[in-house]
C-alpha cells in the first residue's frame, strides 16, 4: 500500500511538471478580451518572478510579520518522514497543520508570498495541499491550494491495450485563519470533479469562470524545474513554468475586499492587492524530495559534496535543520557547518577503514584498531570506539578560536584533530598533541576555556589517560576555570554511558578528579578508590571513607601519609617517585598502603608514585618474575626517578625462614644499578637519588 | 590462582580443629577468624604474609618469628628456603602457605587458643631477632 502511495505521489510531482507545460501552451487559447481584462498587471508587464527555497530559519521581517499575524507558529510541524500525504488528524475538519520543512518564497515587484506544505485535508493519495501567505504594500492575505491528480482512462490503442493519462487539477481557497474548517469539498471537486468545475460554491479552476456570480481571484502558479543536466553550478534553476488558476468568490459570501485579511463570508479573503489582483504560488509537493539540503546549502554555503551527503542522510539533515531552527547565531551556524564538513569527510561510501593497529602520536592512550585515508585526511577508529579525523588544515569546527588551532596542532603545526566519541552524534575538536605532558594539555584547556570556549559553542575533547574529557563551553566559563587553576586542579564528572568526562562545578559533584601534580596530573576515580576529595585554599586533601587523611597535594607536591619506614612519602614534582618495599613488612606497613589508596601508577608518573605491577605474574616462573622486576627497576634508574625505600632493609631483605625477599632482590640489584646510573643513597629521606 | 581456595585447602586441618571462619577480603587477602584472634593471610609478589592478631590494632605476630622470640626454635636450625628459578609463582604461593600452616600448627597453638600472654616478649625481641636473621643470611 505504502509503495503504491509513494508511486502515486511521485507521479504527482512528474505530472505537475507536465501539466504546467501543457497549461503554458494552452495559455494562448484564453480569449483575447478575457486575457486583457483579468490578467494581472504584473504578469502583463512581465515582471520577473523569483522563487527562493527557505524555511522557518527565515528571519525576514515580512515573513515573521505574516507568521505572527496568522499564528503559524502554533500550527507548525515537521513533515513526517513516512512521506505520507494522508490526513493524520482524526477529525474530518480541524485546524490546518503547517509543515515547516520547506517554504517557497516568491517575489514579483512589491508582491511577496510564502508557500508551504500542509497536512492533507483528505485521505486521497492523489492530492496534496499548500498554504500560501502573501503581502504587497502592507496588504496581506492567505489561501490554500489543492493539487489533485486525475487519472483518465482512454480508449484502447492499436495493440488493444487500455491506456490512461493523468491531469493535474489545481484549486485555491481563500482563508482568513488556520482554524477555518476546510475539506476537499471546499475546493469544488469532491467526488472526482473535473477541471473547470470551480464556479459557485468555492474552489477554482484553470478555466476562467465566466459564470461567476461574484469576484474572480486570479492565482498564478509558478513551477520551477531543477536542472538535471547542468555541467556547472549548483544547484541551478534554469526554467520557470507558469499557469493561471481562477477562484470564484461568490458575492453572497460578502465579496472580496482589499486591505488584507478582509473577511469574505465563508472564510474567504481577497488577495492583498486590489481589483487587478493576482496571487502567486508554487507547488510544494510531498514527493519526498526534501528541500532541506538545499536550504542548508544556501544557509551555510555548503559545497556540492556536502549537499549530496545531506541528501543521502535525511535524518541527520533534519537534526541539523531542527537545531538551526532553535539556534541561530553565527556560532551555531559554524558548529553545524563543522559537523556537516566532518560527516562528509567520513562518508563511509568513500573512506574504507582497514583493520590496522597503532598509536596516534605514539601515545599509549591513543591506540586505534582501524585506519583509512583518502590521501589528504587520516581516519582512525580508536580502541574505545571513538572516531578520529586528522586534517592537514584547520576545519570549520575550530575556526572560531585561534587558540584551538594553536593547541590542537602538532609541533609541526601541520595537523588538526577531530573526534566523535563512541555513542555520540557530534564531532568535537580533539585537543591531541604529540606531547604526553598532561599538565601542558590542561593548561591549554584552561586557556581555551577562558579565551575561546566562551565564544564558541563547539565542544572540545581532551585525552587524559585512557579517558577523555569533554569540555563544554557552558561549563567552562572563565571565572570558574580561574578558580580551579588557583587550586591547581580540575574537577571532572563521568558522562553516563561514556568514557568521556566533563568539567563540573564543585568537588561534591565530581566522580573523577584530575589533580595537578608537579608537571603531571593525577586522575582519581573517587568511586573506585572510595576516596573523598576536599579542598582547603590551595590544598587538595584525599580522605578515606572514615575521614582519615590519606594524602594531600600542595603546589603540585604530594605528601602521602605513611607510618612505616622513613615516614611520610613526599613526591618530587619533576620526577617519578618509585617505591620499593615489601607488601606488608614486619611493622605491617609497606607498599600495600599505597596500593590500597590507588594514588599511584604502574610506571612513569612525574610528580607521583610508581609501583611495580605484578598482577599478571601468576603463570610466570621465578626467573621470569625477577627479569620483569629488574627491568622495571632499571627503567626507573634510566629515567632518573627518586627511588624511595618504604621497608627497612635491615629487617626485610630476608624472610624469617632465610628466603631472599623480592624487596631483598631489588636491594641487591640496586648495588649495581646505582653505580651504573650515578645514584647515591640519602639516609635522611631513605631515597636513592640521581647525582 | 584463587587465594581463598588455596588457603582453605592448605589450612584445612587448622580451620577444622579451631573452628575458624574464612573471609575473603579481596583477591590478595584472606582472613581466618577465630574466637579470640584473627589470622591475616595476604599474598604479593608470590610472597605470603601471615600475621596473627589478638585484636585489630594489636601488633601482628609472625608465626615463625613468634617461635624464635619464645626460644621454641633457633632460626639457624631452620633450613633456608630457596626457590628454584623454574618454579612458578602459583607453586611458590602454595609452598609458602604450606610452610606457614606448619609454623602455626607447630609453634602457635597457644595463640590459636587465645593465649597472647607472651606478647610483650615478642614485641621486645622481634626487631633484634629480625636484624640477626638479616645479618646472618647476608653473610651466608
Amino acid at each position: 500500500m505504502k509503495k503504491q502511495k509513494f508511486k502515486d505521489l511521485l507521479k504527482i510531482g512528474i505530472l505537475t511538471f507536465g501539466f504546467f507545460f501543457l497549461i503554458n501552451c494552452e495559455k494562448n487559447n484564453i480569449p483575447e478580451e478575457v486575457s486583457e481584462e483579468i490578467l494581472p498587471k504584473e504578469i502583463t508587464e512581465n515582471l520577473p518572478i523569483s522563487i527562493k527555497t527557505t524555511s522557518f530559519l527565515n528571519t525576514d521581517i515580512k515573513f515573521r510579520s505574516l507568521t505572527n499575524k496568522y499564528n503559524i507558529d502554533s500550527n507548525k510541524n515537521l513533515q513526517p518522514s513516512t512521506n505520507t500525504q494522508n490526513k493524520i488528524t482524526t477529525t474530518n475538519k480541524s485546524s490546518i497543520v503547517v509543515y515547516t520543512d520547506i517554504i517557497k518564497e516568491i517575489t514579483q515587484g512589491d508582491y511577496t508570498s510564502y508557500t508551504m506544505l500542509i497536512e492533507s485535508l483528505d485521505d486521497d493519495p492523489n492530492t496534496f495541499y499548500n498554504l500560501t501567505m502573501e503581502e504587497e504594500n502592507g496588504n496581506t492575505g492567505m489561501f490554500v491550494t489543492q493539487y489533485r491528480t486525475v487519472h483518465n482512462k482512454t480508449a484502447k490503442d492499436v495493440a488493444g491495450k487500455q491506456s490512461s493519462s493523468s491531469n493535474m487539477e489545481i484549486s485555491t481557497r481563500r482563508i482568513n485563519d488556520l482554524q477555518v474548517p476546510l475539506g476537499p469539498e471546499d475546493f469544488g471537486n469532491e467526488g472526482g470533479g473535473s477541471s473547470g468545475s470551480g464556479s459557485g460554491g468555492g474552489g477554482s479552476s484553470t478555466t476562467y469562470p465566466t459564470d461567476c456570480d461574484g469576484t474572480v481571484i486570479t492565482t498564478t502558479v509558478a513551477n520551477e524545474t531543477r536542472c538535471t543536466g547542468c555541467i556547472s553550478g549548483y544547484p541551478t534553476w534554469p526554467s520557470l513554468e507558469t499557469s493561471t488558476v481562477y477562484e470564484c468568490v461568490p458575492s453572497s459570501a460578502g465579496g472580496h475586499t482589499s486591505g488584507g485579511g478582509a473577511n469574505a463570508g465563508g472564510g474567504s479573503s481577497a488577495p492583498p492587492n486590489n481589483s487587478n489582483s493576482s496571487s502567486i504560488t508554487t507547488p510544494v509537493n510531498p514527493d519526498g524530495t526534501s528541500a532541506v539540503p538545499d536550504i542548508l546549502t544556501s544557509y551555510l554555503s555548503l559545497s556540492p559534496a556536502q549537499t549530496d551527503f545531506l541528501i543521502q542522510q535525511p535524518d541527520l539533515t533534519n537534526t541539523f535543520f531542527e537545531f538551526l531552527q532553535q539556534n541561530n547565531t553565527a556560532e551555531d551556524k559554524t558548529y553545524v557547518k563543522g559537523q556537516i564538513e566532518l560527516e562528509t569527510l567520513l562518508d563511509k561510501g568513500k573512506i574504507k577503514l582497514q583493520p590496522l593497529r597503532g598509536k596516534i602520536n605514539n601515545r599509549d592512550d591513543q591506540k586505534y584498531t582501524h585506519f583509512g585515508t583518502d590521501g589528504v585526511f587520516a581516519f582512525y577508529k580508536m580502541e574505545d570506539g571513538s572516531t578520529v579525523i586528522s586534517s592537514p588544515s584547520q576545519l570549520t569546527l575550530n575556526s572560531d578560536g585561534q587558540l584551538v588551532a594553536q593547541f590542537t596542532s602538532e609541533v609541526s603545526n601541520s595537523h588538526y584533530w577531530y573526534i566523535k566519541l563512541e555513542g555520540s552524534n557530534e564531532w568535537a575538536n580533539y585537543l591531541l598533541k604529540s606531547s604526553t605532558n598532561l599538565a601542558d594539555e590542561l593548561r591549554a584547556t584552561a586557556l581555551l576555556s577562558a579565551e575561546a570556549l566562551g565564544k564558541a559553542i563547539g565542544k572540545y575533547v581532551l585525552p587524559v589517560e585512557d579517558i577523555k574529557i569533554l569540555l563544554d563551553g557552558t561549563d567552562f566559563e572563565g571565572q570558574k576555570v580561574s578558580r580551579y587553576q588557583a587550586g591547581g586542579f580540575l574537577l571532572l564528572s563521568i558522562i553516563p554511558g561514556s568514557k568521556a568526562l566533563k568539567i563540573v562545578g564543585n568537588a561534591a559533584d565530581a566522580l573523577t578528579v584530575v589533580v595537578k601534580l608537579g608537571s603531571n596530573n593525577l586522575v582519581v576515580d573517587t568511586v573506585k578508590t572510595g576516596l573523598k576529595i576536599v579542598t582547603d585554599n590551595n590544598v587538595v586533601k584525599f580522605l578515606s571513607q572514615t575521614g582519615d587523611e590519606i594524602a594531600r597535594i600542595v603546589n603540585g607536591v604530594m605528601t602521602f601519609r605513611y607510618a612505616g619506614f622513613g615516614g611520610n612519602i613526599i613526591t618530587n614534582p619533576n620526577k617519578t617517585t618509585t617505591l620499593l618495599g615489601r607488601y606488608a613488612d614486619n611493622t605491617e606497613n609497606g607498599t600495600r598502603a599505597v596500593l590500597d589508596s590507588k594514588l599511584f601508577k604502574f610506571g612513569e608518573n612525574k610528580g607521583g608514585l610508581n609501583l611495580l605491577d605484578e598482577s599478571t605474574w601468576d603463570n610466570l616462573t621465578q626467573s621470569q618474575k625477577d627479569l620483569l622486576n629488574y627491568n622495571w627497576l632499571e627503567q626507573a634508574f634510566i629515567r632518573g626517578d627518586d627511588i624511595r625505600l618504604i621497608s627497612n632493609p635491615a629487617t626485610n631483605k630476608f624472610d624469617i625462614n632465610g628466603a631472599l625477599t623480592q624487596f631483598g632482590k631489588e636491594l641487591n640489584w640496586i648495588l649495581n644499578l646505582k653505580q651504573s646510573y650515578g645514584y647515591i643513597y640519602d639516609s635522611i629521606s631513605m631515597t636513592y637519588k640521581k647525582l | 590462582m584463587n587465594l581463598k581456595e588455596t588457603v582453605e585447602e592448605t589450612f584445612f586441618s587448622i580451620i577444622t580443629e579451631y573452628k575458624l571462619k574464612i573471609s575473603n577480603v579481596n583477591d590478595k587477602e584472606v582472613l581466618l577468624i577465630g574466637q579470640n584472634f584473627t589470622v591475616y593471610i595476604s599474598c604479593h609478589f608470590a610472597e605470603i604474609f601471615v600475621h596473627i592478631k589478638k585484636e585489630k590494632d594489636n601488633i601482628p605476630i609472625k608465626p615463625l618469628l613468634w617461635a624464635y622470640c619464645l626460644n621454641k626454635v633457633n632460626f639457624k636450625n631452620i633450613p633456608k628456603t630457596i626457590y628454584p628459578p623454574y618454579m612458578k609463582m602459583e607453586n611458590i604461593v602454595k609452598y609458602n602457605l604450606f610452610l606457614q600452616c606448619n609454623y602455626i600448627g607447630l609453634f602457635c597453638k597457644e595463640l590459636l587458643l587465645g593465649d597472647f600472654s607472651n606478647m610483650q616478649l615478642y614485641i621486645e625481641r622481634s626487631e633484634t631477632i629480625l636484624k640477626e636473621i638479616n645479618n646472618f643470611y647476608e653473610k651466608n
Side-chain angles (χ1 to χ4, degrees):
Chain A
M1 280 294 285
K2 280 186 178 175
K3 273 187 175 178
Q4 183 56 46
K5 203 172 286 179
F6 181 66
K7 282 178 182 174
D8 287 335
L9 291 170
L10 280 174
K11 283 176 186 173
I12 289 172
I14 296 163
L15 288 169
T16 304
F17 173 75
F19 173 75
F20 286 117
F21 187 76
L22 281 172
I23 291 299
N24 261 356
C25 297
E26 288 174 356
K27 206 187 280 182
N28 292 335
N29 297 335
I30 296 172
E32 195 69 24
E33 61 278 17
V34 173
S35 174
E36 283 178 0
E37 184 184 338
I38 56 95
L39 279 184
K41 190 179 174 187
E42 287 82 358
I43 296 294
T44 54
E45 288 180 359
N46 206 24
L47 282 172
I49 294 173
S50 165
I51 301 178
K52 192 167 77 176
T53 300
T54 179
S55 71
F56 257 67
L57 299 172
N58 193 341
T59 54
D60 178 70
I61 293 173
K62 197 179 288 182
F63 176 76
R64 285 293 157 207
S65 172
L66 284 169
T67 55
N68 289 338
K69 176 171 183 174
Y70 293 114
N71 200 21
I72 301 292
D73 282 332
S74 58
N75 288 270
K76 70 183 169 81
N77 205 346
L78 280 176
Q79 185 179 354
S81 58
T82 50
N83 195 30
T84 180
Q85 183 55 19
N86 279 4
K87 187 175 176 59
I88 292 173
T89 48
T90 51
T91 54
N92 190 30
K93 287 187 174 185
S94 60
S95 61
I96 291 169
V97 177
V98 182
Y99 295 146
T100 57
D101 310 42
I102 309 161
I103 295 173
K104 296 283 187 183
E105 179 182 325
I106 303 174
T107 53
Q108 186 190 44
D110 294 333
Y111 175 87
T112 305
S113 75
Y114 302 93
T115 301
M116 53 212 91
L117 185 70
I118 62 173
E119 184 187 82
S120 182
L121 303 175
D122 56 47
D123 292 325
D124 185 354
N126 296 317
T127 63
F128 66 91
Y129 296 83
N130 286 175
L131 176 76
T132 302
M133 304 183 298
E134 54 189 353
E135 192 273 347
E136 185 175 26
N137 298 322
N139 299 320
T140 62
M142 184 164 64
F143 61 96
V144 173
T145 308
Q146 182 200 56
Y147 295 90
R148 183 164 176 262
T149 306
V150 178
H151 301 277
N152 302 313
K153 284 186 180 176
T154 60
K156 289 181 180 178
D157 62 15
V158 287
K161 288 184 178 177
Q162 186 89 36
S163 62
S164 65
S165 63
S166 298
N167 286 324
M168 175 66 79
E169 292 181 349
I170 306 172
S171 304
T172 59
R173 174 77 177 180
R174 261 58 198 176
I175 59 171
N176 283 326
D177 59 66
L178 299 180
Q179 305 306 317
V180 62
L182 272 185
E185 68 277 9
D186 295 308
F187 294 85
N189 54 13
E190 188 183 32
S194 60
S195 178
S197 65
S199 63
S204 55
S205 82
T206 51
T207 305
Y208 187 81
T210 51
D211 56 345
C212 176
D213 182 17
T215 306
V216 176
I217 301 174
T218 308
T219 302
T220 299
V221 182
N223 192 31
E224 55 190 4
T225 54
R226 189 170 182 165
C227 174
T228 54
C230 304
I231 296 171
S232 63
Y234 193 98
T236 308
W237 310 103
S239 63
L240 190 69
E241 311 286 349
T242 61
S243 62
T244 306
V245 178
Y246 307 102
E247 178 182 349
C248 175
V249 179
S251 54
S252 58
H256 97 266
T257 54
S258 62
N263 199 327
S268 299
S269 70
N273 43 4
N274 288 317
S275 53
N276 282 336
S277 63
S278 173
S279 298
I280 311 176
T281 188
T282 186
V284 179
N285 71 49
D287 66 355
T289 307
S290 171
V292 172
D294 288 337
I295 295 167
L296 291 178
T297 298
S298 168
Y299 190 63
L300 301 172
S301 304
L302 300 179
S303 69
Q306 289 167 348
T307 308
D308 285 342
F309 176 78
L310 289 181
I311 291 168
Q312 292 160 18
Q313 303 286 335
D315 291 342
L316 191 64
T317 304
N318 283 336
T319 302
F320 292 139
F321 185 68
E322 286 176 45
F323 174 82
L324 286 174
Q325 283 188 306
Q326 306 297 324
N327 308 278
N328 217 359
T329 66
E331 286 79 15
D332 297 328
K333 287 173 72 173
T334 301
Y335 173 71
V336 172
K337 191 174 179 182
Q339 298 291 325
I340 293 170
E341 184 179 38
L342 285 157
E343 285 293 341
T344 306
L345 283 178
L346 193 66
D347 189 352
K348 289 187 172 60
K350 296 172 186 167
I351 302 298
K352 287 188 178 171
L353 294 176
Q354 304 286 351
L356 182 68
R357 289 192 170 271
K359 299 177 198 172
I360 295 178
N361 285 351
N362 203 31
R363 288 178 57 149
D364 288 337
D365 60 352
Q366 299 302 320
K367 291 177 184 167
Y368 59 85
T369 58
H370 292 74
F371 173 79
T373 182
D374 61 357
V376 178
F377 301 97
F379 305 85
Y380 305 87
K381 190 76 176 172
M382 309 301 287
E383 270 193 344
D384 67 0
S386 302
T387 305
V388 169
I389 291 180
S390 163
S391 167
S393 57
Q394 182 173 304
L395 300 181
T396 305
L397 197 62
N398 61 0
S399 61
D400 276 345
Q402 289 303 311
L403 277 169
V404 180
Q406 181 181 343
F407 289 110
T408 56
S409 60
E410 289 185 299
V411 176
S412 63
N413 201 29
S414 61
H415 282 271
Y416 298 83
W417 301 88
Y418 305 89
I419 186 168
K420 187 201 270 188
L421 293 169
E422 172 69 358
S424 170
N425 291 320
E426 297 171 55
W427 286 93
N429 291 292
Y430 197 23
L431 308 188
L432 179 65
K433 293 172 53 179
S434 298
S435 168
T436 57
N437 186 332
L438 294 176
D440 283 347
E441 288 177 348
L442 285 178
R443 269 198 292 277
T445 305
L447 282 170
L448 279 171
S449 66
E451 299 185 37
L453 289 177
K455 303 172 192 168
I457 189 175
K459 289 179 178 173
Y460 299 80
V461 171
L462 173 72
V464 175
E465 305 297 309
D466 65 336
I467 51 180
K468 293 175 176 61
I469 302 176
L470 181 67
L471 307 173
D472 191 319
T474 55
D475 294 315
F476 225 56
E477 295 163 6
Q479 206 170 9
K480 282 184 185 175
V481 173
S482 298
R483 184 156 55 83
Y484 295 145
Q485 281 183 295
F489 65 97
L490 292 169
L491 302 174
L492 309 168
S493 182
I494 294 172
I495 298 168
S498 162
K499 284 200 87 178
L501 304 173
K502 78 186 281 192
I503 311 289
V504 298
N506 59 67
D509 296 332
L511 300 178
T512 300
V513 175
V514 177
V515 185
K516 260 180 91 174
L517 197 54
S519 56
N520 206 340
N521 292 279
L522 177 64
V523 182
V524 180
D525 184 330
T526 59
V527 177
K528 278 185 185 171
T529 59
L531 292 173
K532 293 176 186 172
I533 287 84
V534 295
T535 57
D536 181 11
N537 291 323
N538 284 349
V539 180
V540 182
K541 294 179 183 174
F542 296 87
L543 307 180
S544 70
Q545 289 194 325
T546 55
D548 298 324
E549 184 177 322
I550 305 291
R552 63 170 56 193
I553 294 172
V554 184
N555 295 327
V557 176
M558 177 195 277
T559 301
F560 187 91
R561 286 189 169 273
Y562 184 62
F565 183 70
N568 288 348
I569 304 165
I570 301 170
T571 62
N572 182 332
N574 300 312
K575 290 187 174 186
T576 299
T577 300
T578 294
L579 302 180
L580 300 185
R582 297 184 75 189
Y583 177 69
D585 63 22
N586 299 310
T587 61
E588 218 188 27
N589 290 295
T591 57
R592 174 187 176 178
V594 184
L595 280 163
D596 287 350
S597 76
K598 307 282 197 300
L599 299 176
F600 69 95
K601 284 182 184 175
F602 294 128
E604 184 178 12
N605 183 15
K606 273 188 183 174
L609 306 173
N610 165 32
L611 286 174
L612 175 61
D613 183 6
E614 49 80 61
S615 58
T616 58
W617 282 15
D618 277 359
N619 293 320
L620 301 183
T621 64
Q622 177 72 27
S623 55
Q624 288 170 328
K625 177 184 78 171
D626 289 346
L627 183 62
L628 285 176
N629 195 163
Y630 179 84
N631 288 339
W632 169 80
L633 186 60
E634 186 173 31
Q635 284 301 312
F637 275 91
I638 291 169
R639 285 193 301 264
D641 292 1
D642 282 354
I643 296 170
R644 164 72 194 270
L645 306 184
I646 59 172
S647 291
N648 188 348
T651 55
N652 287 284
K653 188 170 181 181
F654 293 93
D655 204 350
I656 51 176
N657 53 12
L660 186 65
T661 62
Q662 203 66 31
F663 173 59
K665 290 177 184 173
E666 290 172 334
L667 292 172
N668 284 341
W669 296 330
I670 283 176
L671 293 175
N672 291 325
L673 290 170
K674 71 175 185 180
Q675 299 292 337
S676 303
Y677 296 99
Y679 270 68
I680 57 162
Y681 181 64
D682 176 3
S683 57
I684 296 172
S685 62
M686 317 302 182
T687 303
Y688 286 93
K689 293 182 176 177
K690 191 172 177 64
L691 284 169
Chain B
M1 183 201 67
N2 186 320
L3 182 64
K4 186 189 172 194
E5 288 177 4
T6 311
V7 168
E8 270 182 321
E9 190 179 311
T10 312
F11 283 73
F12 178 76
S13 59
I14 291 177
I15 291 169
T16 308
E17 186 174 348
Y18 296 95
K19 294 176 181 169
L20 305 180
K21 289 179 184 173
I22 188 162
S23 172
N24 196 20
V25 177
N26 53 48
D27 60 348
K28 287 181 178 173
E29 192 165 339
V30 172
L31 305 181
L32 298 178
I33 304 167
Q35 280 192 328
N36 302 306
F37 65 94
T38 303
V39 181
Y40 292 79
I41 303 171
S42 52
C43 173
H44 194 245
F45 292 164
E47 284 187 61
I48 288 293
F49 301 88
V50 176
H51 296 153
I52 303 171
K53 283 186 182 181
K54 186 179 181 184
E55 289 170 8
K56 191 183 175 187
D57 295 329
N58 283 150
I59 295 289
I61 296 169
K62 290 193 166 199
L64 190 55
L65 188 57
W66 176 262
Y68 295 158
C69 291
L70 272 60
N71 291 322
K72 293 186 177 185
V73 64
N74 188 315
F75 71 84
K76 292 177 184 172
N77 295 330
I78 297 291
K80 184 179 179 179
T81 305
I82 299 172
Y83 305 111
Y86 52 82
M87 195 170 179
K88 285 198 169 185
M89 298 294 98
E90 193 173 350
N91 293 327
I92 291 175
V93 169
K94 286 179 180 173
Y95 177 70
N96 256 322
L97 280 172
F98 172 76
L99 283 180
Q100 294 295 333
C101 181
N102 280 320
Y103 296 151
I104 291 174
L106 286 170
F107 307 124
C108 302
K109 281 188 176 176
E110 68 271 37
L111 298 177
L112 298 179
L113 295 168
D115 177 9
F116 286 77
S117 57
N118 287 319
M119 184 72 175
Q120 191 57 36
L121 188 61
Y122 177 84
I123 294 170
E124 288 169 2
R125 300 194 62 186
S126 59
E127 183 79 6
T128 308
I129 291 175
L130 282 170
K131 282 183 180 168
E132 283 180 24
I133 292 170
N134 273 271
N135 281 333
F136 176 80
Y137 286 111
E138 188 74 72
K139 294 170 186 170
N140 297 280

